[in-house]
Amino acid sequence: MANQQTVKVQLVRSPIGCKESHRATVRGLGLRKLNSVSELQDTPAVRGMINKIAYLVKVL
């Protein structure tokens, strides 16, 4: 279990003016400021969160 797959996500658009649930998803992924990067385990739940806010983030 030492070699877990990970995915890096970067916030490239501001969540200001977006739905509250989309803002909560951004925070749930561990992203705060613009261009912040978060490295997460590659699970179906995380992939679903990324797909929900695909217009705000970039997968590195």
Side-chain angles (χ1 to χ4, degrees):
M1 291 301 240
N3 52 0
Q4 287 282 330
Q5 292 287 357
T6 60
V7 61
K8 278 189 177 181
V9 181
Q10 181 179 20
L11 186 64
V12 293
R13 273 193 63 197
S14 173
I16 295 173
C18 296
K19 290 183 177 181
E20 188 62 40
S21 64
H22 290 202
R23 264 185 257 164
T25 303
V26 168
R27 293 295 295 126
L29 288 173
L31 301 169
R32 286 177 169 250
K33 296 181 179 180
L34 215 53
N35 295 319
S36 63
V37 177
S38 184
E39 189 167 354
L40 306 155
Q41 288 184 1
D42 193 7
T43 63
V46 170
R47 283 286 174 176
M49 292 170 79
I50 291 170
N51 286 338
K52 182 176 180 177
I53 58 166
Y55 64 101
L56 296 175
V57 296
K58 177 170 68 172
V59 177
L60 304 175

